[in-house]
Each structure stands twice: as structure tokens, then as C-alpha cells.
Amino acid sequence: MEETILLLVAVALFFYGLLARRIEQADITAPMIFTLLGVICGPLGLALVSGSPDNSKIFFIAELTLALVLFTDASQVRWKHLGQFNYYPIKLLAIGLPLTILAGAVFAYWLLPLGMVAALLLAIILTPTDAALAQSVMEQKSIDADLRNSVNVESGLNDGIALPILLMALALHTAGSAQELDGAYWGEFILTQLLAGTVIGVAVGRIGSYLINQACEKDWISPVYQRLSSISLAIIAFSLAEVFHGNGFIAVFLAGLFLQTQHEVVIERLKEFGEAEGELLTLAVFFIFGVIFVPMVWPYISWNTFIYAVFSLTAARMLPVWISLIGTQLNLKEKLFLAWFGPRGIASVLYLLLVMEEFGFNQDSETLQTIAATSVLAILMSIFLHGASTKFWIKAFQR
């Protein structure tokens, strides 16, 4: 059965590639097509494990994709970018991101049958943004470069920033009783999951970039291995952190962030990887999302989950962004652009899978049913709404 699904993904990718430019002109994106293909295949019984994501192959693909997405996104962000583009990225990350989590958690606790920790988990899952869902807009020269770059920088960093918060919330859920929430528990958690992952990630990024720079300057490394050696650092960081009981995802994010190579060609090779091999893994996850997650949660979708999904894509994102931009020189259209383009994509899908793994993939849990149904519905709506809105914004700025 896995061969059948692999064939479907390969055929879809091949024919989408042949018609990519024509399809994009119709406001149809690759994530939209692969998600829709997965949704169509789900009822036909082509799900990998009969509608349950309790499968090691799926989780391996998801883990690998998340690690590479975190690494490549972070590697494209230069430290100087935070101080450029009129400081919009700093405002979006330092003010907008925590306010989005807070608003999402409070509304989820009030609207849905969730405890405070579960409401916080849901809010964090739906906080990271994915600029790739509206990539055609990000390439438009008619839109101010500060706006486009701010969206890209925010998208490249907010998934890595939200990850430690997600891990803390998962630790609160795992700890269970209040008796276990003592200083020793949190000390061990910080030392293992957070500190070990941080130290290893920074070390791998800095040492790796130094060695790559030396090899480039001495002309020892070919273009092919510039690409492969950089990606191998992501795998080294992840595996090394897991060996020392740290968090591999924090490690790969920081390794990418501290990969401050002096050779732009190396960064360009990483970008090429993200646009090719990384894109293939990402589209495979969108297909899995459509073929397994959508039919799995469909029975649990209610009016309340729909209301929250709409709230997450609108007010929970747009109001915090608007607040973070108070005092800037942006006009109404520019503020709306930054507020609207918070698509929920690959990071939200994979964070949801991490939460489901923590719950033991227990589909009988009402809490997990609510979190999964609400998250999947919000991501599904975002894939199509943000993807279809690109032409509107392109025309708005061309005027």
C-alpha cells in the first residue's frame, strides 16, 4: 500500500512540475494540490495505516522534514536581518508571537472543552507561520521588500522560537500531578531537553560553518558537497542532541541559525536544497496530512472547532500583529498584508504530530480529539485561503 501512495505522490509531483507556472497563475499552489489529492485518496482506503497516524514510517518522515525545515529556514536568516527592514521582524516576533499564543490559549480555554495546558498546546501548534504557502506573493517586486522580507524572516524564526514553548507545555502535560512539578523535575527538563539541545546546536553550527569556510577558501570542497555537507550538519546536530538526551529539533534550529558561513554560495546551496529535496519532503507531508489527518478528525469537527479555526487565522493572528506595528510608518494596506500572511503550514502539521505522539496517539481522548480536529481544520483552511489570496494581494500592490 505504501508503494501505491508513493506512486501517487510521484505522479502528482511530475505533472505539477510540468504545469507549475500555468497552475500558479490560477492561484493554485502545490500544497493545495497535494493536500486535496490526499483528501480524495483518504476515503478510497489508501491511508497508510487505516486512518491512524500510529506508524513509525510516517513519524520518521515527519521528524526528518521538521528537522530539515527548521535548519534550512534558520540558515537563510542572517543576524543583521533582525535589525533591518525597519525592525518589523523583531516587532512581529517579540510582541506579535507571544500575544498570538496568549490570545489563542485564552480563547481555546473559554470556547473548547480543554484544560489550560491543552488550550496552550493548541495555541502553540497554530502559532508558527509558513510563508511558502504564499510564495508567489513573496517574489513580487511590486510589494515593498521590507514587507516581503519581514514575512520571510518571521516565518524562518517563529517555528524555532515556538518549539521550546511547545516542549514546556508538553512537559506540563506529561508531569501530570502537581507533586511532580517540583524544582528537580524542571531542573532536569531544562538541563536535558533545552540546555543540551542549545549547546549542541550552537556548537555544531559554529564549528561546522568554520570548517566549511576553510574548505571553501582552500577550494577543497565541490558545489555538490557544499550542499551535502551543510545538510549533514542538520543530521549531526539532531542525532548528537538525542544521544545526550537533548532536544534534536532545538539543536537543528540553532545549528542553522549559527551557520554563519562567509560564503554566500553555501547559503545559496542550502536554499536550493529547501526548494528541491526539502520541497519534496514537505509536499509528502501535506499529502499525508490530507490522506490521514483530515479523514481521521472529520467526525470530531464541530461548530466550536470551526469558530476557533477562523479565530486563529484572523483575530488571533491579525490583532497581535496590528498591536506590534503600532508606531510604525506603515499604511493600512501594508499592515493588513503583514497581519494576513500568517499561513499555518508544515510546522503546525508536524507540531501536531509531536503532540499526538505525546498523547500516545490515543484517539479515545476527548482532549486529543479536540486539539487534532481544531488544528487540522485551521491548517486545511489556511492552505486554501492563503494560497488563493495571493492574486488579490498582488493586484492590490500593483495598483
Side-chain angles (χ1 to χ4, degrees):
M1 195 63 70
E2 287 90 346
E3 290 79 4
T4 304
I5 292 178
L6 181 62
L7 175 63
L8 284 171
V9 174
V11 170
L13 183 64
F14 177 74
F15 283 103
Y16 178 84
L18 293 177
L19 304 170
R21 291 191 181 277
R22 294 296 301 272
I23 292 174
E24 288 173 358
Q25 291 174 0
D27 284 347
I28 300 175
T29 65
M32 292 166 67
I33 289 179
F34 279 79
T35 301
L36 183 60
L37 178 63
V39 172
I40 292 171
C41 292
L44 298 178
L46 295 180
L48 288 175
V49 283
S50 302
S52 170
D54 187 11
N55 186 283
S56 59
K57 294 179 181 178
I58 296 174
F59 196 71
F60 173 77
I61 294 173
E63 276 195 327
L64 178 62
T65 304
L66 178 56
L68 294 179
V69 165
L70 287 170
F71 182 80
T72 53
D73 282 356
S75 69
Q76 299 302 308
V77 178
R78 307 266 67 82
W79 288 103
K80 62 182 180 181
H81 289 168
L82 292 174
Q84 293 178 338
F85 319 129
N86 291 303
Y87 294 96
Y88 300 147
I90 290 181
K91 294 176 183 293
L92 293 171
L93 293 168
I95 302 174
L97 186 145
L99 286 179
T100 297
I101 294 176
L102 179 61
V106 170
F107 193 69
Y109 182 72
W110 174 78
L111 180 68
L112 301 171
L114 297 175
M116 186 58 75
V117 175
L120 180 61
L121 284 171
L122 176 59
I124 299 169
I125 290 171
L126 294 177
T127 293
T129 60
D130 185 356
L133 291 182
Q135 193 56 43
S136 59
V137 170
M138 301 306 142
E139 297 170 353
Q140 288 296 316
K141 302 300 182 183
S142 60
I143 300 175
D144 187 87
D146 284 352
L147 299 180
R148 291 183 284 114
N149 289 321
S150 295
V151 172
N152 283 324
V153 173
E154 180 199 13
S155 176
L157 292 178
N158 62 10
D159 45 6
I161 294 173
L163 180 58
I165 308 173
L166 178 70
L167 295 175
M168 295 284 284
L170 283 174
L172 279 170
H173 171 264
T174 303
S177 63
Q179 287 84 354
E180 295 178 346
L181 296 176
D182 54 18
Y185 174 86
W186 287 112
E188 181 182 358
F189 174 81
I190 292 172
L191 284 174
T192 55
Q193 287 285 301
L194 303 183
L195 186 58
T198 299
V199 171
I200 290 171
V202 172
V204 170
R206 296 304 294 171
I207 295 172
S209 62
Y210 172 79
L211 295 175
I212 290 174
N213 286 330
Q214 291 297 309
C216 288
E217 290 174 1
K218 299 180 185 300
D219 199 25
W220 288 350
I221 185 170
S222 66
V224 171
Y225 286 96
Q226 288 174 356
R227 188 167 175 169
L228 293 178
S229 62
S230 300
I231 296 304
S232 66
L233 289 177
I235 300 173
I236 291 171
F238 183 89
S239 303
L240 199 58
E242 293 294 321
V243 167
F244 286 95
H245 306 290
N247 187 272
F249 297 116
I250 290 178
V252 294
F253 173 73
L254 289 171
L257 195 60
F258 281 85
L259 187 70
Q260 302 295 310
T261 174
Q262 299 170 3
H263 296 268
E264 288 299 322
V265 67
V266 176
I267 300 301
E268 187 61 30
R269 297 282 182 263
L270 276 170
K271 185 178 180 181
E272 291 170 0
F273 177 90
E275 293 173 347
E277 292 89 343
E279 181 72 4
L280 174 61
L281 286 170
T282 297
L283 293 179
V285 171
F286 278 119
F287 180 82
I288 292 171
F289 171 76
V291 79
I292 293 178
F293 287 87
V294 174
M296 180 187 69
V297 306
W298 199 256
Y300 310 119
I301 291 176
S302 63
W303 278 110
N304 282 359
T305 58
F306 175 77
I307 291 171
Y308 185 87
V310 173
F311 173 82
S312 175
L313 299 179
T314 55
R317 158 73 185 183
M318 300 178 78
L319 289 178
V321 169
W322 199 276
I323 292 171
S324 70
L325 296 175
I326 291 176
T328 65
Q329 301 301 313
L330 295 175
N331 59 36
L332 176 62
K333 180 171 64 177
E334 293 167 335
K335 288 181 179 179
L336 285 174
F337 174 83
L338 289 177
W340 171 246
F341 276 108
R344 309 317 195 273
I346 194 68
S348 292
V349 174
L350 301 174
Y351 284 3
L352 173 60
L353 192 56
L354 290 177
V355 171
M356 295 179 76
E357 183 199 27
E358 192 66 37
F359 275 78
F361 299 107
N362 180 14
Q363 294 188 49
D364 294 329
S365 167
E366 183 181 358
T367 297
L368 182 57
Q369 290 170 0
T370 303
I371 291 176
T374 310
S375 300
V376 168
L377 184 58
I379 296 166
L380 186 65
M381 292 170 61
S382 180
I383 290 171
F384 289 92
L385 289 175
H386 286 101
S389 68
T390 55
K391 183 171 289 187
F392 168 82
W393 285 102
I394 291 172
K395 290 182 178 179
F397 279 92
Q398 284 176 345
R399 298 193 195 104

